[in-house]
Amino acid sequence: AMAGNPLNVAHQGAYDSVFLKSPQIKWEPLQAESGTNLTAMPKGLMRATMFGDPNKPGFCIFRMKYPPNYHVPPHFHWMAEHTTVLEGEMWMGLGNVVDESAMTKYGPGDYFSVGVGVSHYVMTKDVSPIFELHVMGPWQMTYANPNDHPNK
């Protein structure tokens, strides 16, 4: 470890090795009752952490599984989100107000990155997509309209 280095690679998992086969991937509800302490997401979302800890500072990789007909209102993050769709389809749009006509469909193999503070919203239709995110933790979100928060 490099003492005093603010980007200490030891704390970013540089010395960790992870090998997972798909049956070993553990899916958990992304709600407070699962211990994630992130209650900002509408109910029904599942997350599988692949690397790191999304609740702590540092690099992490996790997968998200959205149910069919799922909507995440406009929101933004303090960090950039790098997303690759692995299965299914999802629609994503930019801005503080949902405009379904302006949403872009993403399918398996598609990638997008949303910058720091950029409001975006997500929707699924009749399928349950799985996508992988690469972010710097802690992964948190802020709704563009605070009244959209599920706990309001």
Side-chain angles (χ1 to χ4, degrees):
M2 298 182 297
N5 182 345
L7 298 176
N8 189 331
V9 294
H11 296 138
Q12 302 301 314
Y15 301 110
D16 297 338
S17 298
V18 177
F19 304 93
L20 291 173
K21 295 284 195 170
S22 47
Q24 297 170 303
I25 296 172
K26 184 178 178 187
W27 291 96
E28 297 181 319
L30 188 60
Q31 298 293 327
E33 61 267 22
S34 72
T36 64
N37 204 23
L38 180 67
T39 60
M41 295 298 290
K43 290 193 184 305
L45 179 64
M46 301 293 286
R47 179 172 72 185
T49 300
M50 311 303 288
F51 182 86
D53 184 341
N55 299 311
K56 295 180 180 175
F59 179 67
C60 62
I61 301 169
F62 55 93
R63 293 183 181 175
M64 307 252 272
K65 185 186 298 186
Y66 282 14
N69 304 306
Y70 191 79
H71 297 265
V72 181
H75 64 281
F76 56 90
H77 307 278
W78 74 268
M79 84 302 276
E81 271 188 331
H82 304 274
T83 304
T84 302
V85 179
L86 302 177
E87 286 181 24
E89 303 171 334
M90 62 179 286
W91 282 256
M92 201 267 298
L94 299 175
N96 291 327
V97 177
V98 174
D99 178 358
E100 288 190 27
S101 68
M103 296 181 88
T104 300
K105 178 176 131 180
Y106 293 91
D110 292 342
Y111 167 87
F112 59 87
S113 178
V114 179
V116 174
V118 175
S119 289
H120 56 289
Y121 45 94
V122 178
M123 172 179 83
T124 66
K125 293 187 179 179
D126 58 349
V127 297
S128 179
I130 295 175
F131 46 98
E132 186 167 278
L133 291 95
H134 297 220
V135 303
M136 291 301 292
W139 185 74
Q140 299 169 334
M141 62 187 285
T142 302
Y143 283 100
N145 177 352
N147 292 326
D148 285 337
H149 195 291
N151 292 340
K152 290 286 180 184

